[in-house]
Amino acid sequence: MNPTAVIPAWVDLGALDASLTHGYGLPVPAGAATALRTAAEAHVAALAPSLPADRYAVLRGLRSATIIKDEDADEAKASISLLNAHLSDVPQDILEAACRAYCNAPGRRFYPRSAGELRAFINPMMSERQARAVRLRRLAERVERDERRQAEIDADPIMPGDVAAICREFKLNASMAQSIAPGGTAG
């Protein structure tokens, strides 16, 4: 499953992926928190490890697409088994993409002797998926916070007379009451 497909279409992925301290700065439609949480959960679910048999099939394909060092059948089986075990935490789609990237990297490509050779391609993809899940969850939390705050404001609106009373109580300039009162006039 492609977790990106679950992200609502209105989300600007470039802005989402670039959001750090200040968060996603673009407008978010009202009621979007559920869709954002669903997208975050899909990203977390897409981090589930692949199955051993599926990893084995991908690693055999990688073996066919790379240069193989001179080794006997037992060494070849051990090599695939070790990679299979050391890559047990990797999601299937990321393992496939990493193997394609490994094969397409410039230079001669030998079958990897250690998982570290593939991790150079795997880790950035896994980090991106984890970070996107966190950002989507944070964006959903922000939307929920904003909606709760708006509901509080809507439940207790300030009336024109209230603004004037506040200005009198705190000895503020009466012209302020006109500029901040609903409808632009103080009551």
Side-chain angles (χ1 to χ4, degrees), residues 11 102 108 149:
V11 174
Y102 180 82
R108 296 177 60 189
R149 180 65 183 133

Side-chain angles (χ1 to χ4, degrees), residues 73-152:
D74 288 338
E75 288 175 317
K77 185 176 180 183
S79 178
I80 288 179
S81 294
L82 279 172
L83 281 177
N84 196 343
H86 291 160
L87 298 171
S88 64
D89 63 317
V90 181
Q92 185 72 18
D93 65 321
I94 289 179
L95 180 61
E96 291 168 357
C99 288
R100 277 192 305 276
Y102 180 82
C103 288
N104 290 314
R108 296 177 60 189
R109 286 294 163 177
F110 289 89
Y111 187 74
R113 300 298 284 172
S114 72
E117 293 176 68
L118 291 174
R119 292 266 178 205
F121 298 93
I122 291 168
N123 291 349
M125 289 185 260
M126 288 189 62
S127 294
E128 177 185 340
R129 188 169 289 172
Q130 291 164 337
R132 192 175 273 178
V134 168
R135 289 179 185 126
L136 286 164
R137 190 173 47 253
R138 285 182 181 166
L139 184 56
E141 290 166 358
R142 188 192 90 193
V143 169
E144 289 169 341
R145 233 182 0 261
D146 291 350
E147 288 175 353
R148 279 193 307 273
R149 180 65 183 133
Q150 188 60 49
E152 289 173 6

Side-chain angles (χ1 to χ4, degrees), residues 47-95:
L47 286 165
S50 55
L51 299 174
D54 294 336
R55 274 193 312 277
Y56 186 80
V58 171
L59 294 171
R60 283 193 51 94
L62 177 63
R63 187 171 176 77
S64 298
T66 54
I67 301 168
I68 302 168
K69 294 182 180 175
D70 190 22
E71 59 187 9
D72 64 31
D74 288 338
E75 288 175 317
K77 185 176 180 183
S79 178
I80 288 179
S81 294
L82 279 172
L83 281 177
N84 196 343
H86 291 160
L87 298 171
S88 64
D89 63 317
V90 181
Q92 185 72 18
D93 65 321
I94 289 179
L95 180 61

Side-chain angles (χ1 to χ4, degrees), residues 150-175:
Q150 188 60 49
E152 289 173 6
I153 290 169
D154 292 344
D156 188 25
I158 296 177
M159 305 311 282
D162 298 337
V163 173
I166 291 169
C167 286
R168 282 191 303 275
E169 179 182 348
F170 293 100
K171 298 178 177 65
L172 299 173
N173 186 334
S175 64

